[in-house]
Amino acid sequence: MNEFNFKKRNLVSGPHILGPLLIVAGLVALVSTVIFNNDDTLVRTLLVGGGAIVLGLIIINSYEGTLIDLRNKRIKTYISIVGYKLGEWKALANISTVKVITNSYIRTNVPNGISPTFSGKVTDFKTLLYSDEANPVLTFVYSKKKKAIKQATRLASNLNAKLIFDL
């Protein structure tokens, strides 16, 4: 496989939480005509319920990401909308080092009426790609250590870069 695809999405926070809510609302609208004796027309109910479900599916299947063509050494930062990736290819800087680090912090979500209000200590695993500069060229954040290590090893191998673990 000559492509590295990092998808950045979290279905339980931000605008992505709206997708499942719209799907549930659409299903409730469709089922409500069967349960309750509504005077609404069937076409109107199907349009409202079906529209909410379709919009919810579009939101769930939309996300940001980074695509690296390992063979041609180019990169595309994209926005994917229902599988179509919008973005332009650019040349990838010469990567000399791939480093995996641990980042622990306290996450507190402010109650806003939509997102869940989870709080607690979170540990992320970051894969950092360095060229000759002190700052990383690219950063990929993973929630699982095993996946971060696997992807970093793959990147270092394909980019002929030095691999460092600072866990």
Side-chain angles (χ1 to χ4, degrees):
M1 185 176 273
N2 292 318
E3 287 186 343
F4 175 81
N5 190 7
F6 177 78
K7 299 174 185 177
K8 180 183 168 188
R9 77 176 175 192
N10 186 356
L11 293 177
V12 293
S13 68
H16 280 111
I17 193 75
L18 190 58
L21 292 174
L22 282 170
I23 292 171
V24 170
L27 291 172
V28 167
L30 292 174
V31 172
S32 69
T33 57
V34 175
I35 296 172
F36 304 112
N37 191 6
N38 281 346
D39 291 335
D40 289 342
T41 64
L42 181 62
V43 174
R44 181 177 172 189
T45 303
L46 289 175
L47 286 175
V48 171
I53 291 171
V54 168
L55 188 58
L57 288 172
I58 289 171
I59 290 171
I60 285 175
N61 290 303
S62 299
Y63 55 89
E64 296 178 9
T66 303
L67 189 61
I68 300 175
D69 181 352
L70 298 168
R71 177 180 293 158
N72 297 317
K73 306 287 192 243
R74 57 187 187 148
I75 184 171
K76 178 196 250 186
T77 303
Y78 66 86
I79 296 174
S80 176
I81 301 174
V82 193
Y84 184 73
K85 295 175 178 70
L86 304 169
E88 294 188 23
W89 287 103
K90 296 179 183 175
L92 178 63
N94 187 28
I95 304 298
S96 61
T97 307
V98 177
K99 185 176 185 180
V100 180
I101 64 170
T102 303
N103 181 35
S104 295
Y105 57 94
I106 303 293
R107 177 184 287 166
T108 305
N109 290 352
V110 178
N112 61 7
I114 297 176
S115 300
T117 54
F118 302 124
S119 297
K121 184 177 179 180
V122 177
T123 300
D124 287 334
F125 300 93
K126 292 184 177 183
T127 298
L128 309 170
L129 279 64
Y130 290 93
S131 64
D132 297 328
E133 301 174 14
N135 294 327
V137 176
L138 293 167
T139 302
F140 303 118
V141 181
Y142 297 96
S143 58
K144 296 183 178 165
K145 180 179 180 180
K146 190 174 185 178
K147 185 165 186 179
I149 291 171
K150 179 181 176 185
Q151 297 300 343
T153 303
R154 180 173 169 233
L155 282 168
S157 171
N158 284 298
L159 297 172
N160 296 323
K162 185 169 118 180
L163 182 58
I164 299 172
F165 296 106
D166 190 11
L167 300 173

